[in-house]
Amino acid sequence: MSQIASIQATQESILKHHGGDAQIARERITQNFERRHDDDFWRFWDEHVAVSYQAGDAIVDLGAGIGQFVDVCAQRYPQSQVMGIEVAPYMLADPLVLPSNGRIIVDDLNEPRADIAPNSVAMVMANMLVHELIQPIKMFKAAHEWLKIGGRMCVIDVVRQPLQDYLQRRYPDTQMWRDDTTRADLEDAFEHFLEHNRYHPEDIVFMLESDGFKLISCEPLRNGGQTRIVVEKI
């Protein structure tokens, strides 16, 4: 498969995952940025991910959206090149205006081929991305190659949970049994349940460790509905 065909296949897959509505997907992702990157997040980032960072090291954000994380990191680390990799056209159509040390690269997240020098990156972020990919192995392999020894990758994602927990979060009380809860809405809920329940945290750790990463931490978020994993290149 050519690179263009590969990118198109990934774009179609991710848009399908987002329900086929590009505008809603863009709005949800961008509007939730501040909540997902609050003061507690940045304390965690400084203490667990940025430990080997030195001025000049590159930083990579996988699944960068319109570039919000790239923008913040470019300002926090003005001596570093901050690169966001994105494939969804509705994210790329109107990206943020970034500082001079930040940029967005269009690349296939299922198999990144971005021209990033091996052993040049101190930190890689993959936030709410892994469950959207058909397979994350090639992405993890690319991140491992880019990272310097001691560099770290942070993976934050939804993970497998009981159907009861998932549906009760979406339909509080007995809402899913009401007559005005449509078939279309229920089908959407069950489709997303399958997509959001691809992996246990242990599955993601297994893939990362199999690629040669060392596990630093793995902790539950949002009552176990998400996980936050940090690994290090050794």
Side-chain angles (χ1 to χ4, degrees), residues 144-179:
H144 190 272
E145 292 173 355
W146 299 331
L147 282 165
K148 67 178 187 178
I149 300 299
R152 292 189 174 183
M153 180 176 185
C154 180
V155 175
I156 300 175
D157 221 293
V158 292
V159 289
R160 194 172 298 178
Q161 57 189 298
L163 179 64
Q164 176 180 350
D165 293 348
Y166 186 86
L167 290 180
Q168 286 185 342
R169 188 176 296 116
R170 177 157 176 162
Y171 301 110
D173 303 320
T174 60
Q175 183 180 339
M176 68 178 167
W177 298 103
R178 288 168 44 177
D179 290 340

Side-chain angles (χ1 to χ4, degrees), residues 16-160:
K16 181 180 178 182
H17 169 80
H18 286 152
D21 193 319
Q23 185 61 32
I24 290 177
R26 178 188 170 96
E27 289 175 0
R28 285 177 179 171
I29 292 169
T30 56
Q31 289 173 0
N32 288 333
F33 180 81
E34 294 295 336
R35 176 180 60 80
R36 292 188 285 114
H37 299 84
D38 57 11
D39 290 342
D40 287 339
F41 167 83
W42 287 111
R43 277 193 292 270
F44 178 89
W45 179 265
D46 290 338
E47 293 174 5
H48 298 276
V49 185
V51 293
S52 69
Y53 169 78
Q54 295 179 317
D57 288 342
I59 301 161
V60 174
D61 180 27
L62 295 163
I66 65 171
Q68 291 164 293
F69 191 75
V70 174
D71 182 36
V72 174
C73 284
Q75 296 180 57
R76 288 173 66 94
Y77 307 101
Q79 294 176 290
S80 293
Q81 288 297 311
V82 184
M83 294 163 282
I85 297 180
E86 183 54 65
V87 69
Y90 45 92
M91 295 297 183
L92 298 166
D94 187 22
L96 292 179
V97 177
L98 298 172
S100 59
N101 62 320
R103 63 190 175 106
I104 300 293
I105 301 170
V106 182
D107 198 3
D108 184 359
L109 290 160
N110 276 301
E111 189 174 7
R113 301 175 184 176
D115 185 18
I116 299 174
N119 306 304
S120 65
V121 174
M123 300 174 281
V124 175
M125 168 60 88
N127 196 342
M128 303 304 288
L129 172 64
V130 171
H131 75 280
E132 296 185 351
L133 303 180
I134 298 170
Q135 55 75 31
I137 296 296
K138 294 295 187 181
M139 184 185 73
F140 289 155
K141 186 175 186 295
H144 190 272
E145 292 173 355
W146 299 331
L147 282 165
K148 67 178 187 178
I149 300 299
R152 292 189 174 183
M153 180 176 185
C154 180
V155 175
I156 300 175
D157 221 293
V158 292
V159 289
R160 194 172 298 178

